[in-house]
Amino acid sequence: MSRTSTILGNTHLVVDTGVAQPPATTIVERKGLGHPDTLADHLAEELSRAYSRYTVERFGAVLHHNFDKLALLGGASEVRYGAGRMTAPVRVLVNGRAAPMCGGERIPIEEIVEAEVRAFFARRLPEVSDHLDITFNITSNSSPGAVLTSDEVPDRTRWFNPRSIEDLRERRVRLSNDTSLGTGWAPENVFESFVRELVDHFSGESDFTLSHAWCGSDVKLMGYWDGEQADVVLCVPQKSRLVASRAEYTRNTESVLAECHRLAGLRLPGAETRFRLNARDVPEKDELYLTYTGSSIESGDEGVVGRGNRVNGLITPLRPMNLEGANGKNPVYHVGKLYNIAARRLAERLHEATDGHAEVHLVSTTGQRLDQPWRVLVRLSSPDAEVDKVQALVAEAMDEFPALTHELVSDGIVLS
């Protein structure tokens, strides 16, 4: 392995080349679209996007906000073969901060949030959409640092109560909001890609779910792969009103397993793949993964931003990753969001450029320019990667933050 260390402006860039390729052994988890943690992640991001769009359209800038502490508290349900109902609502705790006005004009935060919450559940879990209890815990309190020394109001106190968008410091220079980091790597191995595809196949819209309406979306997979053999533990719920009996539930599980083996044959040809489905089921006692809505959020389970999939959509303990909850963060200067996206994209470009494994870590210092991280660590398996080209790709990625903000607000990026 060789190392090159360079100072670029205020950034200390370290490039390691010739590092070892990741081992074949893989442990990977993915939570599907109906998992409570995924629901919390995606809803928080929808709220950030809706608020950002409103303030851009009305005032010309994304105003200060963060919804990344959102939580979902599970309701209660009754489940019977061929029937079911909600008996207690799902509680949506909208925790965070948002500027309530700009230049004296009120921003209808609660109206925006409530409309988005109800629309989100109508799309994702329609059985829950009429059983929601929304609690607002949104403040506009200033971050630490506003020291009162005279009759003048510290600039910092105007960040969440701007007189106009000119009170937003990021209009002049984008500074990192926190000392944090972003992590990315590429490429995925064949098993990691298979896990992503399989979970999406059962939890999202696919030929299988369109033809098997009983298939719920609270899918979860844990997999182990040694390069030749795969062991998979998979949970796939069924919707009770569309399952008439225990025997029908059993036939449906057989359909899921058959589909698992079919996809494994396509994506992992020649590998021995074993599946365990709904391992907690006790059929003779009618203890089954049978739900009214297709998600455990209906019956006491909770979802919290940042506890689910990482920004790349996987949970990979044998790969580099960090614990940032990116969804719902401000898309202008929150490094916990922007650096994770940028690190992943940079790793993909470096992989394409070097035809080898690439790993990227972007580390910020609070108050330092967003486009000049405190530390950048690049690790490449290629022994002959050209460092000047690596530096150019790093610089290119750092120049893209304004465009990345626009992409997050305008088009949306699935972060988990």
Side-chain angles (χ1 to χ4, degrees):
M1 185 187 82
S2 64
R3 167 167 289 187
T4 302
S5 182
T6 310
I7 302 298
L8 301 175
N10 292 319
T11 297
H12 187 173
L13 169 63
V14 173
V15 179
D16 291 339
T17 58
V19 303
Q21 289 273 6
T25 301
T26 302
I27 298 174
V28 58
E29 179 182 2
R30 178 163 169 78
K31 298 177 179 180
L33 292 175
H35 189 285
D37 289 331
T38 308
L39 292 171
D41 278 336
H42 290 183
L43 177 56
E45 188 62 13
E46 289 291 334
L47 296 184
S48 172
R49 188 174 300 119
Y51 179 86
S52 297
R53 284 175 173 169
Y54 180 92
T55 62
V56 167
E57 291 171 2
R58 190 69 191 86
F59 306 108
V62 175
L63 298 189
H64 287 208
H65 70 278
N66 56 274
F67 296 107
D68 57 322
K69 304 300 188 295
L70 180 143
L72 304 176
L73 304 184
S77 63
E78 290 180 352
V79 172
R80 295 179 174 83
Y81 291 118
R85 68 186 184 101
M86 295 290 297
T87 60
V90 171
R91 294 181 61 197
V92 182
L93 305 184
V94 185
N95 307 311
R97 289 185 294 172
M101 61 178 57
C102 181
E105 180 177 334
R106 173 182 173 271
I107 299 170
I109 298 173
E110 293 193 1
E111 292 90 331
I112 293 170
V113 167
E114 180 165 358
E116 286 299 318
V117 169
R118 296 195 181 281
F120 175 83
F121 277 98
R123 294 191 306 272
R124 192 66 67 85
L125 287 179
E127 298 89 348
V128 172
S129 59
D130 292 331
H131 302 277
L132 296 170
D133 181 359
I134 305 172
T135 300
F136 298 94
N137 298 308
I138 303 173
T139 76
S140 58
N141 299 333
S142 173
S143 301
V147 180
L148 300 176
T149 59
S150 66
D151 293 336
E152 295 184 5
V153 177
D155 288 343
R156 186 179 294 263
T157 63
R158 300 193 189 281
W159 290 357
F160 279 87
N161 290 279
R163 294 164 297 185
S164 73
I165 60 174
E166 298 312 313
D167 277 338
L168 306 178
R169 183 176 61 183
E170 61 270 21
R171 299 279 293 177
R172 297 178 292 279
V173 58
R174 297 192 184 202
L175 304 180
S176 299
N177 77 303
D178 197 2
T179 300
S180 189
L181 74 159
T183 301
W185 50 268
E188 292 179 357
N189 67 33
V190 65
F191 185 65
E192 289 160 337
S193 297
F194 171 69
V195 165
R196 182 192 303 278
E197 179 181 357
L198 192 65
V199 172
D200 292 351
H201 189 69
F202 290 123
S203 74
E205 186 174 296
S206 67
D207 290 343
F208 184 88
T209 55
L210 289 174
S211 59
H212 299 84
W214 47 260
C215 187
S217 60
D218 190 356
V219 175
K220 182 177 177 180
L221 186 154
M222 181 70 75
Y224 183 93
W225 167 254
D226 65 6
E228 297 179 354
Q229 296 180 330
D231 274 325
V232 173
V233 178
L234 178 66
C235 295
V236 178
Q238 298 181 30
K239 295 185 177 183
S240 59
R241 69 187 187 282
L242 301 175
V243 180
S245 65
R246 182 199 301 174
E248 189 169 323
Y249 177 92
T250 300
R251 288 195 296 272
N252 292 342
T253 61
E254 292 170 352
S255 297
V256 171
L257 285 170
E259 187 71 354
C260 288
H261 285 289
R262 183 186 73 83
L263 288 175
L266 294 174
R267 302 294 181 251
L268 305 173
E272 180 183 347
T273 307
R274 295 181 292 271
F275 293 94
R276 294 180 63 197
L277 177 63
N278 297 353
R280 201 166 66 177
D281 282 359
V282 186
E284 62 272 18
K285 294 184 178 181
D286 292 306
E287 294 180 6
L288 308 169
Y289 197 9
L290 192 64
T291 66
Y292 171 59
T293 65
S295 173
S296 61
I297 196 68
E298 73 180 41
S299 54
D301 205 353
E302 297 87 18
V304 180
V305 172
R307 287 178 53 92
N309 306 320
R310 300 298 88 201
V311 168
N312 68 354
L314 302 173
I315 301 169
T316 51
L318 302 185
R319 298 277 206 172
M321 64 180 190
N322 65 62
L323 300 179
E324 280 287 350
N327 289 277
K329 291 186 183 301
N330 187 305
V332 178
Y333 54 82
H334 274 209
V335 291
K337 170 180 282 184
L338 295 168
Y339 275 18
N340 273 291
I341 300 171
R344 183 188 180 196
R345 291 184 172 184
L346 178 54
E348 290 171 347
R349 293 175 190 174
L350 290 166
H351 159 64
E352 293 172 359
T354 65
D355 196 30
H357 173 74
E359 180 182 315
V360 175
H361 303 272
L362 306 177
V363 189
S364 69
T365 293
T366 185
Q368 186 164 311
R369 282 182 53 144
L370 183 71
D371 60 356
Q372 296 181 9
W374 171 50
R375 295 270 178 168
V376 175
L377 173 61
V378 173
R379 306 182 76 237
L380 304 170
S381 64
S382 173
D384 53 0
E386 298 180 45
V387 174
D388 58 339
K389 291 185 178 180
V390 172
Q391 292 174 352
L393 287 171
V394 171
E396 179 182 288
M398 296 304 98
D399 288 341
E400 293 177 349
F401 287 119
L404 180 53
T405 295
H406 178 75
E407 185 179 353
L408 282 160
V409 174
S410 301
D411 305 323
I413 300 173
V414 178
L415 301 181
S416 58

